[in-house]
Amino acid sequence: MTVDTSVMRKFNMSYVRRVGALEESFLGSGLPYGTARILYEIGLGAGTVQDLRSRLGGLDSGYVSRMLRTLESKGYVTMHQDPTDGRRRLVALTEDGVKQWDDLERRSEERAHLLLDPLTPRQRDRLNDALATADLLVRAATITIEQVDPRDPMAQEAMGHYFAEIGDRFGFTVGDEGFGDDPSLRPPHGAFFVAASDGAPVASGAVREFDGTGEIKRMWVDPAWRGAGLGSRLLRHLEAEALRLGHRVVRLDTRDVLTEAIGMYERAGYERIDRYNDNPHATHFFRKQLG
Amino acid sequence: MTVDTSVMRKFNMSYVRRVGALEESFLGSGLPYGTARILYEIGLGAGTVQDLRSRLGGLDSGYVSRMLRTLESKGYVTMHQDPTDGRRRLVALTEDGVKQWDDLERRSEERAHLLLDPLTPRQRDRLNDALATADLLVRAATITIEQVDPRDPMAQEAMGHYFAEIGDRFGFTVGDEGFGDDPSLRPPHGAFFVAASDGAPVASGAVREFDGTGEIKRMWVDPAWRGAGLGSRLLRHLEAEALRLGHRVVRLDTRDVLTEAIGMYERAGYERIDRYNDNPHATHFFRKQLG
DNA sequence: TCATGTACCTGACTTTAGTCAGATAATTCC
DNA sequence: GGAATTATCTGACTAAAGTCAGGTACATGA
C-alpha cells in the first residue's frame, strides 16, 4: 500500500511556518512557553496536578511542580490539598491568574484574526469547513483503542453515554442492572474496550461469553464521531479479542432503529439469524464466523 | 465585522498537539532541533548564510554561525567564500550531510504515515482535500502586496509569466518591447506591485499615467491562485495607488477571452467604454471613477 | 581613497526545558 | 496494622536556545 504523504507534509510546512507559532502567541506574555501552557490549562479547567500533567502529555512531575511554584510566587495560582485524597493538590487561578489567562486568550484570538481577516466571508467558510474536516479526521486517526476494566471511570463514562442514549431514544431508563459492574465483561472470559480521544471516551464495546459462543455487547460510538469509520475499527478489534478468547463465532443483538449500526454489521460480514436471547429491546440478531 | 475564530483555534490546538511535532521528527536524529532545521533548509536549497537566516525567520547571526560551525565539525556541511561577494559564505551539504538530510526526510515521512495509515482510502482523500484547501486559503491570507521597481527580479519574473501567458494564449510572442524596462511604470508617475507567497510572485499589476488619466497595466494572477480573491485585492490596491498619484479616473483594456478578468472588473464597478488606445490585442475597454 | 555599511564570526552570558534520584505524606491492599 | 503504592515535591544536574557586545574582512559610494 502506497500512501501519498506529500499534501500533508506540504501543509505542515507552510501551516506551521505561519500559524504553528500558536506557540508564539504564548510568548510576549512575560511567561516562558511551558509555564504559560500550564497556566492556560489550569484556566481551561484542570483541577489536580495529575490532571494537568496528563493534559500536557505527561511532563516530568518535578518539572511541573517547579513551574507551579513559579506561578504561585507570581500570584497567578493557589494550591490546596484535595479533601477527597490528601496526596493530591488542587490548583486554581487567582484573580490575577484569570487576568493573565484572558490575556493569553486575547493573543491567541488576535493571531487567528490576523489570518482570517484578509479572507472574504466565503473563503472563511471554506477554510472553516476544511479545518473542521481535517480536525475530525486527524483526531480519528490518532484514536487509540484500549482494554480497560469495566469498573474503570472511562468505561463507566462510556456505558453512561450508552445507556443514556438508549434511555433517550427508546423512552426508558436503565437502573443499576447491567451498568455498575458486569463480571462477564471482565477477564478471563470477557473484555471491555474504550476508544479515547484527548482523554475522553468516544466509543466503547465489549466481548463476553454467552451460551458457549462469543457475544459483542455495549457497542457505542459518540454521535459526533459516527461516519468516521470508528465503529468498524472497534468491531474488528472486538472480533480479534473474541478469537483470542477461543471463540470461532460471535453473535450480537441490535434494534431496528439503529440503521447505521445494522448497515455496519452487514458490511462487516455479519448475517441475520433468529432470536438467540430474550432481550426485550432487541429486534435484529446477527452472527459472524471468525478466522 | 465579527469573525468566528473558534474552528481555527480548535484546529490549531489539536493539530499542533498531534502533528505540530513535525518538530519531534527532527529529534532522534542525534541533532538538536535548531541544528537539524538548519541542515534541512540547506538541503532544501539555501545557498548563503543570509539566505538561511531569512528562511528560518531571522535568527541571531551569532547563533546560526555557531550551529553551522557544529555542522561543519560533524562533517555535514562545507563552507566557501562567495566569489561574487567576498563577505558572503556559501553553504553546501557534504555526502554525509545529504545522508543526514535523507534521514530527516524519512522521519518526516514516517510521521505523516503514522497519521495517514489508520485512515481508510476515502478518509485519506477527504483529509488531503481538506488540507490542500486549507493550505491554499492560508497562503492566500498571508500574501503581501508590495511595491517594487519594475526592474526588480520579482517584477521581471511576474512580467515574464504575464507575457508568456499572453503569448501562450494568443499565439504570438512578445519581443523586448515593453518587457525589460518601461519607465512609465516607475515613480514618480507610475508604480509596479507584486503579490508574493513564500518569496515567489503570484500576482502583479501596475498603474501609470496615460493621456492624462490613470491606467492599470500588467494585471496578472498565477493560474493556481485564480478564484481566491487575489485579483480583486490587487485591483483595490492599484486603485488606491492611482488615487494617491492624483488620478480621479482609471482606465484599462483587456481581451474578450479573459472572461474571469472581465467579470472581476465589472464586479469592481468598472464600466465599458469605447476604445481609448490603439492596442491591437485589446477588445474591451473599461473605466472607473475613483474616490 | 576613505568613511560607512554589510556579512559573518567569536566569546561571554542568560534563560528555558527537561531529566533523574531521592524524600515525604497520604492512601490502599492484604 | 504494616507493606506497598501513589501523588507530589526538592535538589542537583545537563543540554539547548537565544542574546549581546564587540571584531574582522570585504564592498560601496561619494
Side-chain angles (χ1 to χ4, degrees), chain B residues 25 27-29 102-112:
Chain B
S25 72
L27 291 173
S29 68
D102 288 343
D103 197 53
L104 291 176
E105 268 290 291
R106 198 179 43 70
R107 273 167 216 282
S108 173
E109 190 74 20
E110 268 171 16
R111 183 130 203 119

Side-chain angles (χ1 to χ4, degrees), chain A residues 5 12 14-15 18 123 135 228, chain B residues 12 14-15 109 123 135 228:
Chain A
T5 60
N12 287 352
S14 81
Y15 198 82
R18 279 161 236 259
Q123 289 179 315
D135 189 38
Chain B
N12 287 352
S14 81
Y15 199 82
E109 190 74 20
Q123 288 178 315
D135 189 38

Side-chain angles (χ1 to χ4, degrees), chain B:
Chain B
M1 177 176 60
T2 52
V3 175
D4 183 15
T5 61
S6 60
V7 173
M8 165 164 280
R9 293 189 52 200
K10 185 177 164 215
F11 174 80
N12 287 352
M13 271 295 186
S14 81
Y15 199 82
V16 168
R17 191 172 287 188
R18 278 161 238 261
V19 190
L22 152 97
E23 333 197 340
E24 279 170 41
S25 72
F26 281 134
L27 291 173
S29 68
L31 291 173
Y33 175 60
T35 317
R37 260 198 87 192
I38 288 210
L39 183 92
Y40 191 76
E41 284 294 340
I42 298 169
L44 238 41
T48 62
V49 175
Q50 203 172 27
D51 195 3
L52 207 50
R53 289 214 301 131
S54 83
R55 281 172 188 242
L56 294 168
L59 292 187
D60 180 83
S61 114
Y63 185 30
V64 170
S65 183
R66 209 176 319 281
M67 287 195 276
L68 285 170
R69 226 49 55 235
T70 307
L71 287 171
E72 216 177 0
S73 77
K74 289 193 186 245
Y76 295 150
V77 307
T78 48
M79 302 192 66
H80 300 288
Q81 202 174 32
D82 184 340
T84 70
D85 184 338
R87 290 167 301 182
R88 282 204 283 253
R89 303 249 281 152
L90 294 168
V91 200
L93 293 185
T94 62
E95 207 174 307
D96 271 13
V98 172
K99 268 191 206 135
Q100 274 289 320
W101 191 87
D102 288 343
D103 197 53
L104 291 176
E105 268 290 291
R106 198 179 43 70
R107 273 167 216 282
S108 173
E109 190 74 20
E110 268 171 16
R111 183 130 203 119
H113 269 286
L114 217 60
L115 213 81
L116 289 172
D117 287 347
L119 297 175
T120 64
R122 239 189 93 245
Q123 288 178 315
R124 260 178 236 147
D125 287 346
R126 277 183 68 204
L127 183 57
N128 271 349
D129 283 352
L131 291 181
T133 302
D135 189 38
L136 180 73
L137 290 166
V138 166
R139 282 170 192 272
T142 53
I143 273 176
T144 52
I145 298 174
E146 270 174 80
Q147 181 174 355
V148 296
D149 190 290
R151 290 161 298 185
D152 178 284
M154 281 281 257
Q156 289 288 312
E157 194 183 334
M159 276 192 276
H161 288 300
Y162 171 75
F163 286 114
E165 193 181 350
I166 290 176
D168 201 38
R169 280 174 91 146
F170 300 99
F172 71 95
T173 46
V174 181
D176 286 13
E177 136 271 337
F179 190 159
D181 177 29
D182 181 343
S184 74
L185 304 180
R186 296 209 304 265
H189 300 299
F192 196 99
F193 293 90
V194 170
S197 172
D198 281 331
V202 295
S204 69
V207 194
R208 69 165 182 180
E209 180 173 325
F210 179 75
D211 230 2
T213 72
E215 186 182 22
I216 284 172
K217 300 290 288 176
R218 307 279 188 275
M219 243 337 244
W220 167 77
V221 178
D222 188 315
W225 285 87
R226 289 177 194 166
L230 190 51
S232 323
R233 224 171 114 197
L234 186 60
L235 193 57
R236 282 197 299 278
H237 210 88
L238 294 171
E239 290 166 5
E241 179 65 15
L243 207 56
R244 210 187 58 77
L245 290 172
H247 304 297
R248 316 284 323 207
V249 169
V250 283
R251 293 187 293 186
L252 58 88
D253 64 33
T254 184
R255 296 152 179 83
D256 45 13
V257 263
L258 298 172
T259 48
E260 321 102 305
I262 292 173
M264 180 184 77
Y265 294 134
E266 283 168 345
R267 278 196 307 281
Y270 282 74
E271 41 173 349
R272 274 300 274 283
I273 52 170
D274 291 333
R275 174 179 286 274
Y276 68 87
N277 64 20
D278 55 4
N279 180 347
H281 305 295
T283 59
H284 286 52
F285 301 83
F286 287 96
R287 107 181 207 131
K288 182 179 182 179
Q289 184 77 34
L290 302 177

Side-chain angles (χ1 to χ4, degrees), chain A residues 14-240:
Chain A
S14 81
Y15 198 82
V16 167
R17 191 171 285 187
R18 279 161 236 259
V19 191
L22 152 97
E23 332 198 339
E24 279 170 40
S25 73
F26 280 133
L27 291 174
S29 67
L31 291 173
Y33 176 59
T35 318
R37 260 197 86 191
I38 287 209
L39 183 94
Y40 191 76
E41 284 293 341
I42 298 169
L44 238 40
T48 63
V49 176
Q50 205 172 26
D51 196 2
L52 206 51
R53 291 213 300 130
S54 83
R55 281 170 188 242
L56 294 168
L59 291 187
D60 181 83
S61 111
Y63 184 29
V64 170
S65 182
R66 207 176 319 282
M67 286 195 277
L68 285 170
R69 225 50 54 237
T70 307
L71 287 171
E72 218 177 358
S73 77
K74 288 192 186 247
Y76 296 151
V77 308
T78 48
M79 302 193 64
H80 300 288
Q81 202 174 34
D82 183 342
T84 69
D85 183 338
R87 290 168 302 182
R88 283 204 283 251
R89 304 250 279 153
L90 294 169
V91 199
L93 294 185
T94 62
E95 206 174 307
D96 271 14
V98 171
K99 267 193 207 132
Q100 274 290 319
W101 192 87
D102 288 342
D103 197 54
L104 290 176
E105 268 289 292
R106 198 179 43 71
R107 271 167 217 282
S108 174
E109 191 75 18
E110 265 171 19
R111 185 135 202 111
H113 269 284
L114 216 62
L115 215 80
L116 289 172
D117 287 347
L119 297 175
T120 64
R122 239 189 91 242
Q123 289 179 315
R124 260 177 237 147
D125 287 346
R126 275 183 71 204
L127 182 56
N128 272 349
D129 283 353
L131 292 182
T133 302
D135 189 38
L136 179 73
L137 289 167
V138 167
R139 282 171 192 271
T142 55
I143 273 176
T144 53
I145 297 174
E146 271 174 79
Q147 183 173 355
V148 296
D149 190 292
R151 291 162 296 187
D152 178 282
M154 281 280 257
Q156 290 288 311
E157 195 184 331
M159 276 191 276
H161 289 301
Y162 171 74
F163 285 114
E165 192 180 352
I166 289 176
D168 201 37
R169 280 172 90 143
F170 300 100
F172 72 94
T173 46
V174 181
D176 287 13
E177 137 270 334
F179 189 156
D181 176 29
D182 182 342
S184 75
L185 304 181
R186 296 207 307 263
H189 299 299
F192 196 99
F193 292 89
V194 170
S197 172
D198 281 331
V202 294
S204 69
V207 194
R208 69 166 183 178
E209 180 171 326
F210 179 76
D211 229 3
T213 72
E215 187 182 22
I216 285 174
K217 301 289 287 178
R218 306 278 187 275
M219 245 334 247
W220 167 78
V221 177
D222 187 314
W225 284 87
R226 287 173 197 169
L230 190 51
S232 324
R233 222 170 115 198
L234 187 60
L235 193 57
R236 282 197 299 277
H237 209 88
L238 294 171
E239 289 166 5

